[in-house]
Amino acid sequence: MVLDSGEVLMDQVEVERVGGSRDPLDPDVRAPRPPAERGDGAKKEKVSHNGLPAPTHSGQAAQRRPTSSSSGGGATPRPPLRRPLSLELTPQRLRWSREQMADRRVVQPPWRSGSAAPSPPARSLTSLGAGGWMRRSESSRSVNYSPGLQAGGARMRPATSLPHIARREVGRAPPPPSRPCLLVALRPLNLEEEKQTFFQCDYQYEPQFEYSQPEPRSVLEKYQEGSGLFLPQAVGIMECVLKKFGCYENFEEVTGGSVLPKSQVWAAVRKYLQKEGCVGEVVVRLSDELLSQAVMVVESCRPTLTINLAGARQHWLEGMLRHEIGTHYLRGVNNNLQPWATAEGRKRFGLKPANPTEEGLASLHSVLLRKQPYLWRAALLYYTVYHATSMSFSRLFSHIARFVQDPDVRWEYCLRAKRGQTDTSQPGCFSKDQVYLDGILRILRHRKNIDFKMLTSLGKVSFEDVDMLRPLAVLPRTRIPHFMRDQGRYLQHLDHIVTANDLDDSALQHLLP
């Protein structure tokens, strides 16, 4: 369930009405009153904020009719004082209308601009057109909008990566509903009931999961084999943490901090979007139903980040944003600028899969700026998946108690390793979670030879393809996350991660020649 449904909060801009108050820049000079005509009861003229008579009926009539008589023998009254034209200020609303109303097509969002409205490529993260509009999500709190965007129509700031909203052509049947993202689809429908039964049976019950849309067999077969290649490194990382903190629970409390309330999560997300210069480009939602910490998906051609509230900890939240926005989103933006942006383009250039580089890089960025950058989560996921290949749910739950005592945390790790299974009494795993540690170690092994800025600029590509693609890259308008701009300091952080997790460069070179 997505929280804050129907709640959209945007920073508001107060626009003064044209005749509402006197402009503070106006000189405090009042026009002298003309001599009053006896017996006429003439009304006083009000002076508006820009020195012109207020648009009252009597004032307008006086401007249209020249004064034919006045007291004092026909003397002409002095006109009201007004400032030189060079000092006149045009109110924001009038200035907008003069510049923009001449061609309304310029300011119309794509879904209102007629039959020629552009349609983005399927599943694209961004569209690079000049329109710069985004429909507001009715199921998300808008941390997406910076101050000053509401005056006259809530127009988003221009951004090369701002997504288009596809407008369905009249007469065309709506497209079939797309399947939910893999991590959402693999969340069992009866999760809470089975968890309650499992706990009531003293952890000896084998959950029987049900799914709304079982994934195709080809998807489950792709992730049915767990690897043990980096098992010694995974165990070594966790033992390093236990040696320092005693148990996982202490590690979580000391390094993660407290779980943040929603208001602080929104504030932190908005601050990070400002750091990366992408306010208004990503829809953000909070949820308590994710199996992962967060997930970045594309919904209706809009990049949408859903954050798991339970994992939004004080000292870990920004790392998660570096993972999802600073890595996945910005690399997706850069990818759309390249000639290999489509599946056909990737095939034409013979590119390797983006993973494990994509998730490995993002996972490194999760801990990059921490004082104690332990790779605990990636290591435990790798370890749990490996043993799920040969264990039932209840046996796996008991096995990982060596590293995690909290039964709720153990349940979450076992659930991730067993997702997709209906009968969890059978051995089997969903091995996708091993990609994090796999990618981390491959990148750390080659960190001194990788051009990380170029890797990010090229988009969703493997670090192994960088040298081949460098001469073909389209570099203008590519974006580099703020924490990667100082390459020397970035490499120092990677070296610190290697040292803190007691990783051995020579062992990595042996495993990955």
Side-chain angles (χ1 to χ4, degrees), residues 248-489:
Y248 168 79
E249 289 71 23
N250 287 343
F251 163 72
E252 184 179 64
E253 181 178 353
V254 171
T255 66
S258 59
V259 176
L260 295 176
K262 287 187 290 183
S263 61
Q264 292 186 32
V265 174
W266 293 128
V269 173
R270 179 174 182 80
K271 181 179 179 181
Y272 186 82
L273 290 171
Q274 291 171 340
K275 282 184 181 180
E276 301 297 1
C278 53
V279 173
E281 299 177 21
V282 180
V283 177
V284 180
R285 295 174 178 173
L286 299 186
S287 172
D288 57 1
E289 294 191 344
L290 281 183
L291 299 184
S292 56
Q293 297 295 307
V295 60
M296 174 74 76
V297 298
V298 178
E299 294 183 2
S300 303
C301 299
R302 293 173 296 175
T304 302
L305 172 62
T306 305
I307 299 173
N308 187 344
L309 274 173
R313 291 186 170 271
Q314 179 182 1
H315 305 308
W316 289 355
L317 180 58
E318 183 166 341
M320 182 273 294
L321 297 173
R322 289 194 299 269
H323 181 120
E324 299 294 345
I325 297 174
T327 309
H328 291 322
Y329 174 66
L330 291 185
R331 274 168 58 90
V333 169
N334 294 341
N335 192 75
N336 267 20
L337 298 172
Q338 308 304 331
W340 48 85
T342 63
E344 293 77 11
R346 296 186 70 88
K347 185 176 180 181
R348 185 170 72 253
F349 287 97
L351 300 191
K352 293 179 173 63
N355 273 321
T357 296
E358 178 77 15
E359 291 296 353
L361 191 64
S363 298
L364 283 170
H365 293 165
S366 295
V367 303
L368 188 73
L369 304 183
R370 294 181 190 172
K371 293 181 180 179
Q372 303 180 93
Y374 291 107
L375 299 166
W376 169 276
R377 184 172 180 81
L380 184 54
L381 286 172
Y382 190 97
Y383 180 89
T384 306
V385 166
Y386 172 77
H387 287 287
T389 306
S390 58
M391 295 182 181
S392 68
F393 192 101
S394 61
R395 186 182 170 197
L396 180 65
F397 185 89
S398 175
H399 180 78
I400 65 173
R402 170 188 175 188
F403 299 107
V404 181
Q405 282 74 48
D406 187 328
D408 287 302
V409 176
R410 274 190 283 162
W411 167 270
E412 293 296 332
Y413 276 92
C414 292
L415 176 62
R416 287 179 66 105
K418 287 288 188 179
R419 56 188 168 183
Q421 280 189 289
T422 302
D423 181 6
T424 64
S425 66
Q426 301 300 313
C429 70
F430 186 74
S431 65
K432 189 175 186 297
D433 282 340
Q434 287 195 323
V435 73
Y436 302 108
L437 187 63
D438 187 296
I440 286 171
L441 297 181
R442 291 179 188 275
I443 290 173
L444 291 178
R445 158 65 179 87
H446 297 282
R447 67 187 183 279
K448 296 178 182 178
N449 301 319
I450 297 175
D451 183 342
F452 285 97
K453 286 187 178 180
M454 182 59 66
L455 176 60
T456 299
S457 298
L458 293 175
K460 303 274 188 175
V461 302
S462 168
F463 72 85
E464 299 174 87
D465 287 332
V466 168
D467 290 338
M468 177 188 70
L469 298 177
R470 188 190 304 268
L472 308 171
V474 178
L475 297 180
R477 297 191 297 168
T478 56
R479 297 157 72 174
I480 304 296
H482 76 280
F483 52 83
M484 194 183 279
R485 290 167 191 163
D486 186 336
Q487 188 87 342
R489 189 175 180 187

